Amino acid sequence: MKAAIITIGDEILIGQIVDTNSAFIAKSLDRIGVEVAEMLSISDDKKHILDTFTQLQNKVDVVIVTGGLGPTKDDVTKKTFCKYFDDELVVNPEVLAHVTELIEGFYKRPISQLNKDQALVPSTCTVLPNKVGTAPGMWMKKENTVFISLPGVPYEMKYLVEEEIIPKIVKEYKRPYIIHKTILTYGQGESLVAERIEQWENNLPNFIKLAYLPNPGRVRLRLTARGTDKEVLEAAIEEKVRSLDLIIHDIIVGYEENETLESVVSKMLTKHGKTVSTAESFTGGRVASLLSSVPGASGCFKGSVVSYATEAKINVLGVPEELVDKFSVVSAEVASSMALNVKKLLQTDYGIATTGNAGPSKGDSDAEIGTVFIALATPTEVIVEEFNFGQPREKVVDRATVKSLEILQKEILKIVQ
Amino acid sequence: MKAAIITIGDEILIGQIVDTNSAFIAKSLDRIGVEVAEMLSISDDKKHILDTFTQLQNKVDVVIVTGGLGPTKDDVTKKTFCKYFDDELVVNPEVLAHVTELIEGFYKRPISQLNKDQALVPSTCTVLPNKVGTAPGMWMKKENTVFISLPGVPYEMKYLVEEEIIPKIVKEYKRPYIIHKTILTYGQGESLVAERIEQWENNLPNFIKLAYLPNPGRVRLRLTARGTDKEVLEAAIEEKVRSLDLIIHDIIVGYEENETLESVVSKMLTKHGKTVSTAESFTGGRVASLLSSVPGASGCFKGSVVSYATEAKINVLGVPEELVDKFSVVSAEVASSMALNVKKLLQTDYGIATTGNAGPSKGDSDAEIGTVFIALATPTEVIVEEFNFGQPREKVVDRATVKSLEILQKEILKIVQ
């Protein structure tokens, strides 16, 4: 079973926004064994949309379209659906009642014609009710292909995918099994990892594919098995993961599909009853945001002092002014002091600190742009490492954020073992 | 002049990663008047890539391909280019010298065969040197269409687009003028904005298009003018923006192409010599991250106390324990105290505080999931607002983060006027 995902909107084609909807839809389809053959972003232009529909007709089983459903004039999807299905727009009474209730009942505003027009749908479509917004989803079939239209607002799209589309596909279509297993590795580059596992990779059976997904500081390995016998696939993947672990055990940090370094660290800390805090300079709260984004973060994450200004390092964190004067604000000494002091201030077992010069200009220190010090205060000592993450600013912040968590993860592993 | 952007990689089609490269490339092309007709994400499959090339041949002037260039076995782009152009891979001596210098000279590692293979390129291609990585870009022409291949690592891709591709296109192609103007509005929904400006919108000339880009809490309006006379376009856009400002002056916060609420707030504060700090509970440092992400943030942003745990609110921020006991940690009283105390602690003119229950479970308070208090301490008073942002967790955090900055922005406007 194959699907295509189409995003409609000029704002994507001129690069003003990044399309995150397609990835969410793809992941949801992948989980139920639907293969996404293609993703497309096209303009708000009726002809372009119609041409794309024609091109995909009978080539894939499902076409999911997001965007172009809002109340304003630049939205053309509904009219294009009518044209493609030779249909016309009619008022759907259930949708109208829902829109009225939302606008007049919840938002306490008089309902306008633009609001009411959200209840217009092609007369032959199956309406997918949108409880979290005004624009409904639509499901229409032509020959062997179903065309589904969804609003572009991410949480409305997510609601409809999870509550309407996935259950409906599961009920109406037969699908093969697809199993993925992700192995998250930190600390070595793509080439180096590839060299270490070359022989293992050459011995993979035909029905298992391996992909490398490199990111700054980490490489995700993804195994995908496809077939009809779920148990055979699971056993084969399990065996391969076991043999892989024997080869690169030192760099593997997790196996969960949605695992991230922050979720691994958070789980490990919580499991062992340990807590962490952060003192952040140029990372501006990024490490804290990541740690607090993990559900259940309150089990291990106490808080953070974002000491962006030098005076905040001195006044809030209590870094001695002499230390700053003597070694500069971007130094191993100041990083250590920040880590120790935040650990004490927030009464945690671990304290992470970052200080550095991310550019574009030099700021309060003479350190070269890209210079970063990361300190970790553990229950027994302080570790400091120096890096140069080069340029630009966003890369320096990204890499330092990841590296902080990596240093913490390695340290927790030591204590646990 | 038209372009298409192709992203190659199964990891995108299964939704494991979001494609941000295409948006960057699109924005860069748009700036020099190249229209992106289509974006596609397709699999690592040779046949699929070749079919897509054939389909785009002579329909667009430029096809930019990212991904599939790394050193590992799942990368097929180079071989597919050879097939499409009936060419073969040869070692490029300049690329080999660069890769050797990078691996042996900079990383101090012995060079491997996988590393050396990065210097293999189709014999007839124009090499685009990649100074920030090992995989070079490639430029090859067939009939009326140029095919360009770039590595998928974002900062390598960005480097090649900015340093090689854009200058080469500017030199070799004639392009029309495209002018965009973005108007950033906060605080009213898409329908309401559309109703207010309906008449203005109906009077737009044919060569100016309007698009609505809604996001939680804000709507961006984008005007696009296309034509051959730059001065005519600029004058027309300017006139339209002026007349729009007369209609919705109360909700417009900025006009810069890359303007965000955080950059607007940061600029306003810096301009008037005012400073800000944040005290964040469930937003976990998100407001601080946004404020610190603006270049030159040190002019107005001093720092933040992320008091995720209740004890951090008491011990670090100095929120009285009685207040927490009496009103609960999610309350207007605690939010006010956090805002006042962080303002004092970090010696700033403004202090923003967030406390709330973002779910999925109830945590340290009995407040309904979605309940949020945002407080702003100004030089003269404390303002507190209560919201319910519903579910899920990420939406509550997103909306509260945006709302905090919106409250601050409205307040600065008042003082300035």
Side-chain angles (χ1 to χ4, degrees), chain A residues 3 77 147 298:
Chain A
T77 308
F147 291 79
S298 56

mmCIF file of all heavy atoms in Angstrom, chain A residues 3 77 147 298:
data_model
loop_
_atom_site.group_PDB
_atom_site.id
_atom_site.type_symbol
_atom_site.label_atom_id
_atom_site.label_comp_id
_atom_site.label_asym_id
_atom_site.label_seq_id
_atom_site.Cartn_x
_atom_site.Cartn_y
_atom_site.Cartn_z
ATOM 1 N N ALA A 3 1.385 5.644 -0.421
ATOM 2 C CA ALA A 3 0.762 6.946 -0.211
ATOM 3 C C ALA A 3 1.646 8.052 -0.762
ATOM 4 O O ALA A 3 2.858 7.873 -0.930
ATOM 5 C CB ALA A 3 0.528 7.169 1.276
ATOM 6 N N THR A 77 -7.953 24.827 -1.987
ATOM 7 C CA THR A 77 -8.068 23.370 -2.025
ATOM 8 C C THR A 77 -9.490 22.871 -2.246
ATOM 9 O O THR A 77 -9.721 21.973 -3.056
ATOM 10 C CB THR A 77 -7.498 22.768 -0.716
ATOM 11 O OG1 THR A 77 -6.192 23.287 -0.522
ATOM 12 C CG2 THR A 77 -7.418 21.259 -0.802
ATOM 13 N N PHE A 147 -8.376 10.528 -1.936
ATOM 14 C CA PHE A 147 -7.776 11.847 -1.724
ATOM 15 C C PHE A 147 -8.315 12.410 -0.410
ATOM 16 O O PHE A 147 -9.530 12.497 -0.230
ATOM 17 C CB PHE A 147 -8.114 12.792 -2.881
ATOM 18 C CG PHE A 147 -7.454 12.420 -4.180
ATOM 19 C CD1 PHE A 147 -7.969 11.391 -4.961
ATOM 20 C CD2 PHE A 147 -6.305 13.065 -4.607
ATOM 21 C CE1 PHE A 147 -7.352 11.026 -6.158
ATOM 22 C CE2 PHE A 147 -5.681 12.712 -5.800
ATOM 23 C CZ PHE A 147 -6.203 11.686 -6.571
ATOM 24 N N SER A 298 10.148 16.351 35.450
ATOM 25 C CA SER A 298 10.234 16.849 36.822
ATOM 26 C C SER A 298 10.857 15.808 37.762
ATOM 27 O O SER A 298 11.268 16.141 38.858
ATOM 28 C CB SER A 298 8.850 17.278 37.319
ATOM 29 O OG SER A 298 7.941 16.201 37.201
#
